[in-house]
Amino acid sequence: GVTDANPLPGDWIGEMWGAGRRFGGCVIDGGRLYWFLCAKGPADGKDSDTRAALTRATAEFPDYVRQAVKDTPVSAIRRDDIRDRPPVTQWGRGRTTLLGDAAHPMTPNLGQGACQAIEDALALTDLITEYGPTSDALRRYERFRQPRANAVVKAAHQIGRIAHWSTPTGTRVRNTLVRLTPASVLVRQLRASWRLPQTTS
């Protein structure tokens, strides 16, 4: 959702994990608040009363979260399903191939969906430039990109599963592990995620 009535600081960006739910977002142009709420639910499900569903889903979050959601017009709220699939090892055959979500759909838990598509495009461009628009170039692209892209698919899926633990014991364990994780580990993971690999012949 997007709301003009932003109860959060002007530079806020973040994500909060609850029991089986997550709330996050950031301040965007003009001080408006973009927010998201992730919760388990039936695929293609529709709530007859969006406002009531959101009130229930945000009950455990701080007052300012509930206020932000309450102040968002229903017309500015969009519901989408999040889907992925286990990684596959064949992206194409002959003179066809796939890239981006068509090759490796992933959940948004690491913010890497578009990033991996851009990396695909760069690798594909490099290899076609070197080998021409040939089947060999496409297979080289697939062999180069699959390990990294598929690892991100798996990691994003796993983060989503952990973030949505909902039992009291599970959430306590998760929250303790997150709290005890050294900042250096997170920095190392971020650097690995954002380092652009070089194609090799």
Side-chain angles (χ1 to χ4, degrees):
V2 176
T3 179
D4 294 328
N6 176 17
L8 291 153
D11 60 350
W12 184 81
I13 182 171
E15 182 171 309
M16 302 168 208
W17 292 4
R21 294 177 174 83
R22 287 183 292 161
F23 177 87
C26 62
V27 176
I28 58 173
D29 61 316
R32 299 185 303 154
L33 177 69
Y34 154 75
W35 58 264
F36 64 85
L37 176 70
C38 296
K40 293 180 182 177
D44 302 315
K46 300 294 178 193
D47 295 302
S48 57
D49 186 341
T50 299
R51 185 69 63 202
L54 288 170
T55 299
R56 288 191 303 274
T58 56
E60 70 177 299
F61 290 107
D63 290 345
Y64 55 83
V65 168
R66 294 195 300 276
Q67 190 64 49
V69 172
K70 181 180 177 184
D71 290 342
T72 305
V74 173
S75 61
I77 298 171
R78 175 179 164 156
R79 182 198 186 280
D80 291 297
D81 290 335
I82 296 175
R83 294 184 172 100
D84 64 356
R85 68 158 191 247
V88 296
T89 56
Q90 183 175 1
W91 291 359
R93 70 171 70 104
R95 293 184 63 182
T96 63
T97 194
L98 301 173
L99 61 74
D101 284 347
H104 44 73
M106 62 186 70
T107 59
N109 298 305
L110 294 175
Q112 281 285 310
C115 299
Q116 292 303 304
I118 291 168
E119 287 187 20
D120 288 347
L122 288 170
L124 190 55
T125 300
D126 286 349
L127 290 164
I128 287 176
T129 298
E130 184 169 354
Y131 296 99
T134 63
S135 298
D136 179 54
L138 302 186
R139 300 300 83 77
R140 286 174 184 268
Y141 149 75
E142 292 162 6
R143 286 193 300 272
F144 175 71
R145 287 293 301 145
Q146 282 175 3
R148 179 171 167 87
N150 286 346
V152 175
V153 170
K154 292 176 185 175
H157 183 85
Q158 188 62 24
I159 289 287
R161 288 188 61 186
I162 292 169
H164 282 267
W165 284 353
S166 57
T167 66
T169 301
T171 54
R172 276 197 303 275
V173 168
R174 178 199 67 198
N175 295 348
T176 300
L177 290 174
V178 169
R179 196 168 33 253
L180 296 176
T181 301
S184 60
V185 171
L186 300 175
V187 169
R188 189 165 59 247
Q189 289 174 338
L190 284 173
R191 284 184 177 151
S193 294
W194 294 96
R195 185 179 300 119
L196 186 63
Q198 298 296 312
T199 55
T200 56
S201 300

